[in-house]
Amino acid sequence: MQQTLELSSEVLAQRLADSGLRATPQREMIYEMVLKKRDHPTADEVYARVRADMPGISLATVYNCLETLVQCDLVRAVHFERGPTRYCPNLRPHAHFHDEQSGTIHDVNLTPELLAQIRAVLPPGYDARTVEVTFRGKASPLTSSEHRVAGSE
Amino acid sequence: MQQTLELSSEVLAQRLADSGLRATPQREMIYEMVLKKRDHPTADEVYARVRADMPGISLATVYNCLETLVQCDLVRAVHFERGPTRYCPNLRPHAHFHDEQSGTIHDVNLTPELLAQIRAVLPPGYDARTVEVTFRGKASPLTSSEHRVAGSE
DNA sequence: AGTGAGATTTAGAACTATTCCAATGATATA
DNA sequence: TATATCATTGGAATAGTTCTAAATCTCACT
Ligand SMILES: [Mn+2]
Ligand SMILES: [Mn+2]
Ligand SMILES: [Zn+2]
Ligand SMILES: [Zn+2]
Protein backbone atom coordinates (compact mmCIF):
# COMPACT_ATOMS: atom_id res chain seq x y z
CA MET A 1 0.00 0.00 0.00
CA GLN A 2 2.89 2.35 0.78
CA GLN A 3 4.56 1.01 -2.32
CA THR A 4 1.48 1.82 -4.33
CA LEU A 5 1.68 5.41 -3.25
CA GLU A 6 5.38 5.68 -4.01
CA LEU A 7 4.99 4.09 -7.37
CA SER A 8 2.09 6.34 -8.18
CA SER A 9 4.31 9.38 -8.51
CA GLU A 10 6.55 7.53 -10.93
CA VAL A 11 3.56 6.43 -12.96
CA LEU A 12 2.36 10.01 -12.93
CA ALA A 13 5.75 11.39 -14.01
CA GLN A 14 5.88 8.88 -16.83
CA ARG A 15 2.38 9.58 -18.08
CA LEU A 16 2.96 13.30 -17.93
CA ALA A 17 6.24 12.96 -19.81
CA ASP A 18 4.48 10.90 -22.45
CA SER A 19 2.23 13.88 -23.05
CA GLY A 20 5.08 16.38 -22.95
CA LEU A 21 3.96 17.72 -19.57
CA ARG A 22 5.92 18.33 -16.38
CA ALA A 23 5.51 16.71 -12.99
CA THR A 24 4.70 19.51 -10.57
CA PRO A 25 4.10 19.44 -6.83
CA GLN A 26 0.48 20.39 -7.43
CA ARG A 27 -0.10 17.58 -9.90
CA GLU A 28 1.57 15.05 -7.61
CA MET A 29 -0.34 16.19 -4.56
CA ILE A 30 -3.71 16.14 -6.33
CA TYR A 31 -3.08 12.75 -7.87
CA GLU A 32 -2.17 11.23 -4.52
CA MET A 33 -5.19 12.80 -2.85
CA VAL A 34 -7.50 11.26 -5.42
CA LEU A 35 -5.82 7.88 -4.95
CA LYS A 36 -5.81 8.06 -1.17
CA LYS A 37 -9.51 8.49 -0.49
CA ARG A 38 -11.30 6.92 -3.41
CA ASP A 39 -14.70 8.35 -2.74
CA HIS A 40 -15.27 10.15 -6.03
CA PRO A 41 -14.62 13.64 -4.71
CA THR A 42 -15.65 16.80 -6.51
CA ALA A 43 -13.08 19.44 -7.47
CA ASP A 44 -14.13 21.42 -4.40
CA GLU A 45 -13.56 18.44 -2.16
CA VAL A 46 -10.15 17.79 -3.67
CA TYR A 47 -9.39 21.48 -3.20
CA ALA A 48 -10.33 21.29 0.48
CA ARG A 49 -8.23 18.16 1.05
CA VAL A 50 -5.20 19.42 -0.80
CA ARG A 51 -5.21 22.79 0.92
CA ALA A 52 -4.44 21.14 4.23
CA ASP A 53 -1.01 20.20 2.89
CA MET A 54 -0.59 22.94 0.29
CA PRO A 55 -2.34 26.06 1.53
CA GLY A 56 -1.45 28.33 -1.38
CA ILE A 57 -2.96 26.21 -4.11
CA SER A 58 -5.74 27.73 -6.17
CA LEU A 59 -9.05 26.23 -7.19
CA ALA A 60 -8.15 26.94 -10.82
CA THR A 61 -5.08 24.76 -10.41
CA VAL A 62 -7.15 21.96 -8.93
CA TYR A 63 -9.39 22.09 -11.99
CA ASN A 64 -6.36 22.27 -14.30
CA CYS A 65 -4.59 19.35 -12.65
CA LEU A 66 -7.67 17.13 -12.51
CA GLU A 67 -8.25 17.79 -16.19
CA THR A 68 -4.62 16.91 -16.88
CA LEU A 69 -4.96 13.65 -14.95
CA VAL A 70 -8.07 12.81 -16.95
CA GLN A 71 -6.23 13.54 -20.21
CA CYS A 72 -3.38 11.27 -19.08
CA ASP A 73 -5.87 8.48 -18.31
CA LEU A 74 -4.94 8.30 -14.67
CA VAL A 75 -8.31 9.42 -13.38
CA ARG A 76 -11.82 9.37 -14.77
CA ALA A 77 -14.38 12.14 -14.64
CA VAL A 78 -17.85 10.94 -13.74
CA HIS A 79 -21.14 12.78 -13.73
CA PHE A 80 -24.42 12.38 -11.89
CA GLU A 81 -27.41 14.37 -13.01
CA ARG A 82 -26.27 17.96 -13.23
CA GLY A 83 -24.14 17.75 -10.12
CA PRO A 84 -20.50 18.73 -9.99
CA THR A 85 -18.02 16.52 -11.81
CA ARG A 86 -16.55 13.78 -9.62
CA TYR A 87 -13.18 12.12 -10.03
CA CYS A 88 -12.54 8.38 -9.91
CA PRO A 89 -9.13 6.70 -9.84
CA ASN A 90 -10.56 3.24 -10.54
CA LEU A 91 -9.51 2.52 -14.10
CA ARG A 92 -11.07 -0.91 -14.37
CA PRO A 93 -14.39 -1.25 -16.14
CA HIS A 94 -17.03 -0.56 -13.55
CA ALA A 95 -20.47 0.91 -13.03
CA HIS A 96 -21.45 3.55 -10.51
CA PHE A 97 -24.13 3.16 -7.90
CA HIS A 98 -25.39 6.48 -6.63
CA ASP A 99 -26.99 6.15 -3.21
CA GLU A 100 -29.77 8.72 -3.16
CA GLN A 101 -30.01 8.69 0.63
CA SER A 102 -26.41 9.41 1.48
CA GLY A 103 -25.22 10.87 -1.80
CA THR A 104 -22.31 8.44 -1.81
CA ILE A 105 -20.99 6.73 -4.93
CA HIS A 106 -20.07 3.04 -5.00
CA ASP A 107 -18.05 1.28 -7.66
CA VAL A 108 -19.57 -1.93 -9.01
CA ASN A 109 -17.34 -4.23 -11.02
CA LEU A 110 -18.43 -5.09 -14.54
CA THR A 111 -17.25 -8.23 -16.27
CA PRO A 112 -16.03 -8.09 -19.88
CA GLU A 113 -18.81 -10.56 -20.68
CA LEU A 114 -21.55 -8.24 -19.47
CA LEU A 115 -19.96 -5.29 -21.23
CA ALA A 116 -19.94 -7.32 -24.43
CA GLN A 117 -23.60 -8.15 -23.97
CA ILE A 118 -24.45 -4.53 -23.44
CA ARG A 119 -22.54 -3.47 -26.54
CA ALA A 120 -24.38 -6.17 -28.47
CA VAL A 121 -27.63 -4.19 -28.29
CA LEU A 122 -26.19 -1.56 -30.63
CA PRO A 123 -27.48 -1.72 -34.20
CA PRO A 124 -24.90 -2.15 -36.96
CA GLY A 125 -23.04 1.06 -37.73
CA TYR A 126 -22.95 2.19 -34.12
CA ASP A 127 -19.41 2.20 -32.78
CA ALA A 128 -19.31 2.91 -29.04
CA ARG A 129 -16.01 4.24 -27.74
CA THR A 130 -17.34 4.17 -24.18
CA VAL A 131 -20.16 2.47 -22.30
CA GLU A 132 -21.43 3.89 -19.06
CA VAL A 133 -23.70 2.15 -16.57
CA THR A 134 -25.17 4.11 -13.69
CA PHE A 135 -27.50 2.93 -10.97
CA ARG A 136 -29.48 5.16 -8.68
CA GLY A 137 -31.20 3.88 -5.59
CA LYS A 138 -30.51 2.92 -2.02
CA ALA A 139 -27.74 0.76 -0.66
CA SER A 140 -28.48 -0.79 2.72
CA PRO A 141 -25.77 0.34 5.19
CA LEU A 142 -24.93 -3.17 6.39
CA THR A 143 -23.72 -4.39 3.05
CA SER A 144 -22.54 -1.16 1.51
CA SER A 145 -19.80 -0.72 4.08
CA GLU A 146 -18.47 -4.21 3.35
CA HIS A 147 -18.39 -3.96 -0.38
CA ARG A 148 -15.01 -3.21 -1.91
CA VAL A 149 -13.79 -3.48 -5.48
CA ALA A 150 -10.20 -4.29 -6.33
CA GLY A 151 -7.85 -1.33 -6.69
CA SER A 152 -7.41 0.40 -10.01
CA GLU A 153 -5.18 -0.93 -12.84
CA MET B 1 -50.38 9.68 -35.66
CA GLN B 2 -52.90 12.53 -35.52
CA GLN B 3 -54.76 10.50 -32.97
CA THR B 4 -51.64 10.16 -30.93
CA LEU B 5 -51.28 13.92 -30.76
CA GLU B 6 -54.90 14.44 -29.83
CA LEU B 7 -54.78 11.79 -27.17
CA SER B 8 -51.59 13.24 -25.78
CA SER B 9 -53.37 16.30 -24.43
CA GLU B 10 -55.87 14.08 -22.66
CA VAL B 11 -53.11 11.98 -21.21
CA LEU B 12 -51.42 15.17 -20.09
CA ALA B 13 -54.59 16.58 -18.52
CA GLN B 14 -55.14 13.32 -16.68
CA ARG B 15 -51.60 13.08 -15.35
CA LEU B 16 -51.63 16.68 -14.27
CA ALA B 17 -54.96 16.22 -12.52
CA ASP B 18 -53.55 13.16 -10.74
CA SER B 19 -50.92 15.44 -9.27
CA GLY B 20 -53.38 18.22 -8.44
CA LEU B 21 -52.04 20.41 -11.23
CA ARG B 22 -53.82 22.29 -14.00
CA ALA B 23 -53.60 21.85 -17.72
CA THR B 24 -52.35 25.15 -19.13
CA PRO B 25 -51.71 26.22 -22.73
CA GLN B 26 -47.98 26.42 -21.97
CA ARG B 27 -47.86 22.89 -20.55
CA GLU B 28 -49.82 21.51 -23.49
CA MET B 29 -47.72 23.30 -26.07
CA ILE B 30 -44.44 22.20 -24.52
CA TYR B 31 -45.57 18.62 -24.14
CA GLU B 32 -46.63 18.45 -27.78
CA MET B 33 -43.38 20.02 -28.94
CA VAL B 34 -41.36 17.41 -27.09
CA LEU B 35 -43.51 14.64 -28.57
CA LYS B 36 -43.43 16.05 -32.09
CA LYS B 37 -39.70 16.13 -32.70
CA ARG B 38 -38.20 13.46 -30.50
CA ASP B 39 -34.61 14.53 -30.76
CA HIS B 40 -33.85 15.06 -27.08
CA PRO B 41 -33.99 18.85 -27.18
CA THR B 42 -32.53 21.06 -24.49
CA ALA B 43 -34.69 23.60 -22.64
CA ASP B 44 -33.31 26.29 -24.94
CA GLU B 45 -34.28 24.31 -28.00
CA VAL B 46 -37.78 23.70 -26.67
CA TYR B 47 -37.99 27.41 -25.90
CA ALA B 48 -37.02 28.31 -29.48
CA ARG B 49 -39.53 25.86 -30.97
CA VAL B 50 -42.38 26.87 -28.72
CA ARG B 51 -41.85 30.57 -29.24
CA ALA B 52 -42.79 30.21 -32.90
CA ASP B 53 -46.37 29.38 -31.84
CA MET B 54 -46.43 31.16 -28.48
CA PRO B 55 -44.21 34.23 -28.69
CA GLY B 56 -44.83 35.52 -25.19
CA ILE B 57 -43.68 32.43 -23.33
CA SER B 58 -40.73 32.81 -20.97
CA LEU B 59 -37.70 30.59 -20.59
CA ALA B 60 -38.56 30.19 -16.90
CA THR B 61 -41.92 28.74 -17.90
CA VAL B 62 -40.23 26.31 -20.27
CA TYR B 63 -38.06 25.10 -17.40
CA ASN B 64 -41.06 24.97 -15.08
CA CYS B 65 -43.21 23.03 -17.52
CA LEU B 66 -40.49 20.57 -18.48
CA GLU B 67 -39.88 19.91 -14.80
CA THR B 68 -43.61 19.37 -14.31
CA LEU B 69 -43.71 16.90 -17.21
CA VAL B 70 -40.79 15.03 -15.68
CA GLN B 71 -42.57 14.91 -12.32
CA CYS B 72 -45.68 13.55 -14.02
CA ASP B 73 -43.60 10.86 -15.73
CA LEU B 74 -44.49 12.00 -19.21
CA VAL B 75 -40.98 13.00 -20.17
CA ARG B 76 -37.54 11.98 -18.96
CA ALA B 77 -34.60 14.27 -18.29
CA VAL B 78 -31.32 12.94 -19.61
CA HIS B 79 -27.80 14.19 -19.10
CA PHE B 80 -24.57 13.95 -21.05
CA GLU B 81 -21.35 14.99 -19.42
CA ARG B 82 -21.98 18.44 -18.05
CA GLY B 83 -24.03 19.55 -21.01
CA PRO B 84 -27.49 21.04 -20.71
CA THR B 85 -30.32 18.75 -19.65
CA ARG B 86 -32.12 17.13 -22.56
CA TYR B 87 -35.70 15.91 -22.61
CA CYS B 88 -36.87 12.55 -23.91
CA PRO B 89 -40.49 11.49 -24.42
CA ASN B 90 -39.59 7.83 -24.94
CA LEU B 91 -40.80 6.13 -21.78
CA ARG B 92 -39.77 2.61 -22.69
CA PRO B 93 -36.57 1.24 -21.20
CA HIS B 94 -33.81 2.38 -23.51
CA ALA B 95 -30.19 3.41 -23.62
CA HIS B 96 -28.79 6.58 -25.17
CA PHE B 97 -26.15 6.67 -27.82
CA HIS B 98 -24.40 10.00 -27.98
CA ASP B 99 -22.76 10.58 -31.37
CA GLU B 100 -19.65 12.59 -30.65
CA GLN B 101 -19.33 13.78 -34.25
CA SER B 102 -22.77 15.24 -34.72
CA GLY B 103 -23.82 15.72 -31.11
CA THR B 104 -27.04 13.84 -31.82
CA ILE B 105 -28.67 11.42 -29.41
CA HIS B 106 -30.11 8.09 -30.52
CA ASP B 107 -32.40 5.86 -28.52
CA VAL B 108 -31.40 2.21 -28.32
CA ASN B 109 -33.97 -0.28 -27.12
CA LEU B 110 -33.11 -2.38 -24.09
CA THR B 111 -34.77 -5.72 -23.46
CA PRO B 112 -36.04 -6.58 -20.00
CA GLU B 113 -33.66 -9.56 -20.10
CA LEU B 114 -30.60 -7.38 -20.57
CA LEU B 115 -31.80 -4.99 -17.91
CA ALA B 116 -32.18 -7.90 -15.54
CA GLN B 117 -28.66 -9.08 -16.34
CA ILE B 118 -27.30 -5.63 -15.66
CA ARG B 119 -29.11 -5.39 -12.35
CA ALA B 120 -27.72 -8.78 -11.45
CA VAL B 121 -24.22 -7.35 -11.05
CA LEU B 122 -25.33 -5.45 -7.96
CA PRO B 123 -24.19 -6.95 -4.64
CA PRO B 124 -26.89 -7.87 -2.13
CA GLY B 125 -28.28 -4.86 -0.33
CA TYR B 126 -28.10 -2.61 -3.36
CA ASP B 127 -31.55 -1.65 -4.53
CA ALA B 128 -31.46 0.25 -7.82
CA ARG B 129 -34.49 2.39 -8.55
CA THR B 130 -33.11 3.29 -11.97
CA VAL B 131 -30.50 1.91 -14.35
CA GLU B 132 -28.96 4.11 -16.99
CA VAL B 133 -26.91 2.97 -19.95
CA THR B 134 -25.11 5.51 -22.08
CA PHE B 135 -22.91 4.97 -25.10
CA ARG B 136 -20.57 7.53 -26.58
CA GLY B 137 -18.99 7.08 -29.98
CA LYS B 138 -19.75 7.45 -33.64
CA ALA B 139 -22.76 6.26 -35.56
CA SER B 140 -22.21 5.82 -39.26
CA PRO B 141 -24.67 8.10 -41.15
CA LEU B 142 -25.95 5.32 -43.40
CA THR B 143 -27.46 3.29 -40.62
CA SER B 144 -28.20 5.99 -38.07
CA SER B 145 -30.78 7.64 -40.32
CA GLU B 146 -32.59 4.33 -40.75
CA HIS B 147 -32.74 3.35 -37.12
CA ARG B 148 -35.97 4.01 -35.33
CA VAL B 149 -37.27 2.77 -32.01
CA ALA B 150 -40.93 2.19 -31.36
CA GLY B 151 -42.91 5.12 -30.00
CA SER B 152 -43.21 5.79 -26.29
CA GLU B 153 -45.55 3.97 -23.93
C1' DA C 1 -71.54 37.67 -12.72
C1' DG C 2 -68.37 38.82 -8.83
C1' DT C 3 -64.88 37.60 -5.33
C1' DG C 4 -61.03 35.46 -3.28
C1' DA C 5 -57.68 31.72 -2.77
C1' DG C 6 -54.43 29.51 -4.84
C1' DA C 7 -51.99 28.14 -8.96
C1' DT C 8 -49.21 29.70 -12.82
C1' DT C 9 -46.45 32.60 -15.51
C1' DT C 10 -43.16 36.08 -16.05
C1' DA C 11 -38.74 39.01 -16.05
C1' DG C 12 -34.90 39.42 -14.10
C1' DA C 13 -31.70 38.56 -10.27
C1' DA C 14 -29.03 35.06 -8.16
C1' DC C 15 -26.54 30.89 -8.06
C1' DT C 16 -23.13 27.04 -9.02
C1' DA C 17 -19.75 24.84 -11.42
C1' DT C 18 -16.56 25.64 -14.60
C1' DT C 19 -13.62 28.03 -17.94
C1' DC C 20 -11.13 31.91 -19.49
C1' DC C 21 -7.71 35.51 -19.00
C1' DA C 22 -3.68 38.09 -18.16
C1' DA C 23 -0.02 38.38 -15.00
C1' DT C 24 3.34 36.05 -12.33
C1' DG C 25 6.37 32.29 -11.21
C1' DA C 26 9.03 28.06 -12.18
C1' DT C 27 11.81 25.01 -15.16
C1' DA C 28 14.46 23.16 -18.85
C1' DT C 29 17.49 24.00 -22.25
C1' DA C 30 21.04 26.60 -24.94
C1' DT D 1 22.66 33.17 -17.25
C1' DA D 2 19.27 34.27 -20.91
C1' DT D 3 15.22 32.67 -23.08
C1' DA D 4 11.43 30.09 -24.32
C1' DT D 5 7.97 27.45 -22.63
C1' DC D 6 5.15 25.61 -19.25
C1' DA D 7 2.39 26.03 -15.08
C1' DT D 8 -0.02 28.43 -11.46
C1' DT D 9 -2.76 32.05 -9.72
C1' DG D 10 -6.76 35.33 -8.68
C1' DG D 11 -10.29 37.20 -10.54
C1' DA D 12 -13.52 37.97 -14.33
C1' DA D 13 -16.56 35.77 -17.39
C1' DT D 14 -19.72 32.16 -18.83
C1' DA D 15 -23.56 28.69 -19.14
C1' DG D 16 -27.29 26.46 -17.42
C1' DT D 17 -30.47 26.56 -14.10
C1' DT D 18 -33.12 28.05 -10.04
C1' DC D 19 -35.08 31.57 -7.26
C1' DT D 20 -37.97 35.62 -6.26
C1' DA D 21 -41.57 38.64 -6.22
C1' DA D 22 -45.02 40.71 -8.85
C1' DA D 23 -48.62 40.18 -12.35
C1' DT D 24 -52.04 37.09 -14.31
C1' DC D 25 -55.00 33.41 -14.62
C1' DT D 26 -58.38 29.82 -13.00
C1' DC D 27 -61.63 27.82 -10.36
C1' DA D 28 -64.94 27.21 -6.67
C1' DC D 29 -68.24 29.45 -4.37
C1' DT D 30 -71.47 32.86 -3.65
MN1 LIG E 1 -16.64 20.22 -8.51
MN1 LIG F 1 -31.04 23.55 -21.64
ZN1 LIG G 1 -15.67 4.86 -9.92
ZN1 LIG H 1 -34.30 8.81 -25.17
Side-chain angles (χ1 to χ4, degrees):
Chain A
M1 225 350 171
Q2 298 304 100
Q3 285 171 317
T4 308
L5 278 183
E6 276 178 33
L7 287 181
S8 76
S9 73
E10 290 174 30
V11 170
L12 172 62
Q14 188 54 59
R15 291 292 184 92
L16 288 169
D18 291 348
S19 304
L21 301 172
R22 297 173 183 167
T24 66
Q26 288 89 345
R27 285 171 178 167
E28 285 173 0
M29 171 101 285
I30 286 170
Y31 183 45
E32 294 195 355
M33 277 297 170
V34 172
L35 286 184
K36 193 159 76 184
K37 197 172 174 203
R38 336 186 119 225
D39 58 352
H40 304 83
T42 64
D44 271 346
E45 285 163 351
V46 172
Y47 181 44
R49 291 174 196 176
V50 165
R51 263 204 294 190
D53 294 19
M54 194 180 269
I57 198 169
S58 76
L59 178 57
T61 297
V62 173
Y63 274 104
N64 290 339
C65 292
L66 288 170
E67 173 62 16
T68 297
L69 295 175
V70 169
Q71 295 311 322
C72 292
D73 272 314
L74 289 165
V75 162
R76 281 153 57 161
V78 304
H79 300 94
F80 299 97
E81 314 275 303
R82 292 247 340 144
T85 303
R86 312 190 83 96
Y87 296 89
C88 171
N90 181 353
L91 301 177
R92 318 180 74 181
H94 67 282
H96 286 111
F97 187 101
H98 182 117
D99 184 336
E100 298 179 305
Q101 244 83 83
S102 67
T104 54
I105 311 299
H106 301 265
D107 283 352
V108 177
N109 252 320
L110 292 181
T111 63
E113 297 79 53
L114 180 60
L115 276 173
Q117 282 186 294
I118 294 173
R119 281 173 182 278
V121 304
L122 289 174
Y126 283 68
D127 184 18
R129 197 176 50 76
T130 66
V131 181
E132 229 172 75
V133 177
T134 305
F135 301 96
R136 201 179 326 289
K138 47 176 170 298
S140 70
L142 281 167
T143 63
S144 69
S145 63
E146 308 304 323
H147 180 62
R148 184 101 321 167
V149 278
S152 66
E153 195 61 336
Chain B
M1 224 350 167
Q2 299 306 99
Q3 285 170 318
T4 309
L5 278 181
E6 274 178 34
L7 288 181
S8 76
S9 75
E10 290 174 30
V11 171
L12 172 62
Q14 188 53 59
R15 290 291 185 90
L16 288 169
D18 291 349
S19 303
L21 302 173
R22 297 172 182 168
T24 67
Q26 289 88 345
R27 285 171 178 165
E28 285 173 0
M29 169 100 287
I30 286 170
Y31 183 44
E32 293 195 356
M33 277 296 170
V34 173
L35 286 184
K36 192 160 74 181
K37 197 172 172 202
R38 335 185 121 224
D39 58 352
H40 303 83
T42 64
D44 272 346
E45 286 164 351
V46 172
Y47 182 44
R49 290 173 196 176
V50 166
R51 263 203 295 188
D53 294 18
M54 195 180 264
I57 199 170
S58 77
L59 179 56
T61 297
V62 173
Y63 275 104
N64 290 341
C65 292
L66 287 170
E67 173 61 16
T68 297
L69 295 176
V70 169
Q71 296 310 322
C72 293
D73 270 314
L74 289 165
V75 163
R76 280 152 59 162
V78 305
H79 301 94
F80 300 96
E81 314 277 304
R82 292 244 343 142
T85 304
R86 313 189 82 95
Y87 296 88
C88 171
N90 181 351
L91 301 177
R92 318 180 74 182
H94 67 283
H96 287 112
F97 187 101
H98 182 117
D99 185 335
E100 297 179 306
Q101 244 83 82
S102 67
T104 55
I105 310 300
H106 302 265
D107 283 352
V108 176
N109 252 321
L110 292 182
T111 63
E113 297 80 51
L114 181 59
L115 276 172
Q117 281 185 294
I118 294 172
R119 282 175 181 278
V121 305
L122 289 175
Y126 282 68
D127 183 18
R129 197 175 51 75
T130 67
V131 181
E132 230 173 74
V133 177
T134 306
F135 301 96
R136 201 179 326 288
K138 48 177 170 298
S140 70
L142 280 168
T143 63
S144 69
S145 63
E146 307 304 322
H147 181 64
R148 185 102 318 168
V149 277
S152 66
E153 194 64 333

